Amino acid sequence: MSVYLDYNATAPIDERVLDFMIDVYKNDIGNADSRTHNFGEKARNVVETARKQVASLLQVNSDEVFFTSGATESNNIAIQGLREYAEKNNKKHIITTSIEHKAVLETVKHLEKEGFEVDIVSPDISGRISAEEILTKVKDNTLLVSVMHVNNETGIIQPVEEIGEKLQERNVLFHVDATQSCGKLVEEVRKIKYNMLSFSAHKLMGPQGIGVLILRKKAYKLPPVKNILYGGQQEHGIRPGTIPVALVAGCGKACEIAQNEYKRNYEHTQAIKIEILKLLKDSDLQYHFNGDQEFCVPSTLNLCIEGVSSEALMISTKQFCSVSNGSACTSKSYAPSYVLMAMGIAEEEIESSIRISWGPDTDKEETLCSFKELLCIAKQMK
Ligand code: PMP
């Protein structure tokens, strides 16, 4: 069996989460918005318990937690949902970065076509955006700054704490895509001063198809975000549609587990990284990392093995381990990674780069064995 090392694309569901969801599917069959019977009330209780679990992980209030179908939708609501406010207040300038997930980048570009002004800031070779560069771009008509916490391809942590702190003095909304950090960098996420934050449950071993948008209140008022879909009044109208009770329950459970276990998980993923780095050091391969490792999360490695095609390497090592060479959302195209390009990495280096990502339940020994095989095969390919 191939060892799964593509957790940044999606992580396997935690068995405790799955068991809990099955129980909900079997026993809580009502619609959480049905008011006329106990089935509805029971389902509502499940949803509200999950909302509290998410709120507790993030240290926000429960009424600041909105369930969506995933980070893509959360990002879309956070950005597109500001359109009306932007137009009314003549604040149509958005600042973001060239390494955001497409769910942010494409949404911002869509607004640009509709007359918004967009500034896109790129990182340097370290993979990190300069907080100062973001802040110098802020103008009187700036509506929104959207910067991700951890990049999905490189694992590089962005200076969102500093940006959030500084933006507090300005009348600018701050959105953070925390899809790769939520439940992992728990204390760091809590410290960020954001107005809106997005994530998907499946990256923290919850189910696919459920996500969260956190909207922080200021003086008892939510940010001026409007729904982008029309329908019912679910999630206070911000995300209409029947609430998927079992998915929401799974999301809450995953958050609860992450809150209890994040310190252990951090150490476990870091221990795996240390061993992988040792194996690399002892190999005769020429390699380097994409992104400054000082700022990298312990569960991701973006590695360039010089002179070895990543496509060929991935195919040849498929039976041992499953890695990737970019985000799954864009992996159907063979175009070089736009994230690595934005960092100024040469195309031939990008073609030799792979992303390895692992998680709390990754077996260290199995991973190291499969990684040894990968290194052996890479050597033969030189
Ligand atoms: N943002 C980031 C940083 C991500 O890594 C992903 C998933 N690759 C998304 C947003 C989108 O998440 P989903 O596909 O679950 O909507």
Side-chain angles (χ1 to χ4, degrees):
M1 260 289 269
S2 176
V3 178
Y4 183 71
L5 296 174
D6 203 9
Y7 276 61
N8 286 12
T10 193
I13 192 161
D14 187 304
E15 238 171 82
R16 293 166 289 180
V17 173
L18 184 60
D19 288 345
F20 185 58
M21 285 176 64
I22 290 170
D23 194 59
V24 171
Y25 273 124
K26 284 183 179 164
N27 299 308
D28 299 298
I29 58 164
N31 183 320
D33 285 282
S34 292
R35 300 228 199 144
T36 52
H37 46 67
N38 288 343
F39 291 97
E41 197 181 318
K42 256 187 98 199
R44 173 53 62 184
N45 287 340
V46 171
V47 168
E48 295 315 316
T49 301
R51 205 183 300 281
K52 282 189 195 129
Q53 287 166 324
V54 175
S56 171
L57 174 68
L58 286 136
Q59 282 183 353
V60 299
N61 297 319
S62 291
D63 61 0
E64 296 173 316
V65 176
F66 296 84
F67 289 109
T68 67
S69 65
T72 296
E73 191 179 25
S74 300
N75 288 341
N76 270 269
I77 299 171
I79 300 167
Q80 287 198 60
L82 291 173
R83 195 192 306 238
E84 196 180 300
Y85 171 83
E87 268 153 17
K88 266 194 197 149
N89 293 278
N90 206 16
K91 276 173 117 29
K92 293 177 74 174
H93 176 232
I94 298 175
I95 304 166
T96 189
T97 84
S98 53
I99 57 167
E100 297 303 304
H101 188 271
K102 293 283 183 187
V104 166
L105 272 179
E106 293 297 316
T107 309
V108 167
K109 282 182 186 161
H110 172 70
L111 288 183
E112 191 175 26
K113 278 194 207 130
E114 302 209 332
F116 279 69
E117 186 194 343
V118 175
D119 267 316
I120 297 185
V121 172
S122 284
D124 58 17
I125 194 78
S126 71
R128 226 165 117 89
I129 299 288
S130 148
E132 211 178 289
E133 200 179 339
I134 294 272
L135 294 161
T136 54
K137 297 242 182 291
V138 175
K139 308 191 283 187
D140 287 345
N141 70 336
T142 303
L143 167 74
L144 171 74
V145 171
S146 181
V147 179
M148 69 196 331
H149 190 190
V150 170
N151 182 268
N152 43 311
E153 291 195 32
T154 59
I156 300 298
I157 302 166
Q158 303 301 323
V160 285
E161 198 183 324
E162 189 184 339
I163 296 170
E165 192 74 51
K166 300 265 166 64
L167 283 179
Q168 283 224 306
E169 299 146 24
R170 323 279 294 255
N171 185 22
V172 177
L173 292 160
F174 186 35
H175 168 246
V176 177
D177 179 350
T179 306
Q180 296 290 345
S181 59
C182 204
K184 297 171 189 163
L185 304 182
V186 171
E187 288 159 37
E188 292 83 343
V189 170
R190 286 172 177 168
K191 277 192 214 146
I192 308 167
K193 297 205 166 74
Y194 58 85
N195 303 96
M196 303 176 282
L197 179 139
S198 312
F199 71 92
S200 274
H202 68 101
K203 309 282 185 182
L204 56 137
M205 302 188 78
Q208 296 177 349
I210 184 82
V212 169
L213 175 63
I214 304 286
L215 297 176
R216 300 285 346 242
K217 285 186 176 170
K218 222 173 174 181
Y220 306 104
K221 267 177 73 180
L222 288 171
V225 172
K226 286 270 161 71
N227 49 305
I228 57 169
L229 294 175
Y230 294 88
Q233 272 306 302
Q234 292 94 345
E235 298 301 276
H236 292 273
I238 282 177
R239 203 286 179 170
T242 301
I243 297 174
V245 179
L247 291 178
V248 164
C251 177
K253 192 79 184 162
C255 286
E256 183 189 65
I257 293 171
Q259 180 167 346
N260 292 336
E261 299 179 1
Y262 73 92
K263 285 185 185 148
R264 174 262 166 212
N265 295 344
Y266 191 96
E267 276 166 24
H268 176 70
T269 51
Q270 194 167 44
I272 292 176
K273 190 174 211 171
I274 290 168
E275 294 301 323
I276 288 178
L277 296 185
K278 270 192 209 153
L279 288 178
L280 271 166
K281 219 172 183 184
D282 294 343
S283 75
D284 315 321
L285 289 161
Q286 303 275 9
Y287 66 90
H288 60 264
F289 305 116
N290 295 317
D292 185 342
Q293 291 310 292
E294 195 193 328
F295 298 104
C296 194
V297 291
S299 55
T300 306
L301 201 55
N302 198 308
L303 169 71
C304 173
I305 304 181
E306 290 158 27
V308 174
S309 150
S310 64
E311 284 291 332
L313 183 63
M314 286 188 305
I315 291 167
S316 322
T317 54
K318 232 177 186 170
Q319 78 254 47
F320 303 111
C321 55
S322 301
V323 301
S324 72
N325 61 349
S327 132
C329 314
T330 46
S331 71
K332 281 199 189 80
S333 64
Y334 286 99
S337 148
Y338 69 89
V339 171
L340 300 186
M341 293 268 278
M343 288 163 62
I345 297 173
E347 220 169 289
E348 75 244 37
E349 288 179 28
I350 299 176
E351 276 165 21
S352 297
S353 295
I354 52 168
R355 175 185 72 178
I356 313 164
S357 51
W358 52 96
D361 65 337
T362 302
D363 185 283
K364 189 164 132 195
E365 295 316 315
E366 263 179 31
T367 301
L368 296 177
C369 278
S370 73
F371 192 70
K372 270 186 210 158
E373 296 289 350
L374 182 141
L375 293 179
C376 259
I377 292 168
K379 241 177 255 171
Q380 288 159 17
M381 291 171 92
K382 289 260 322 170

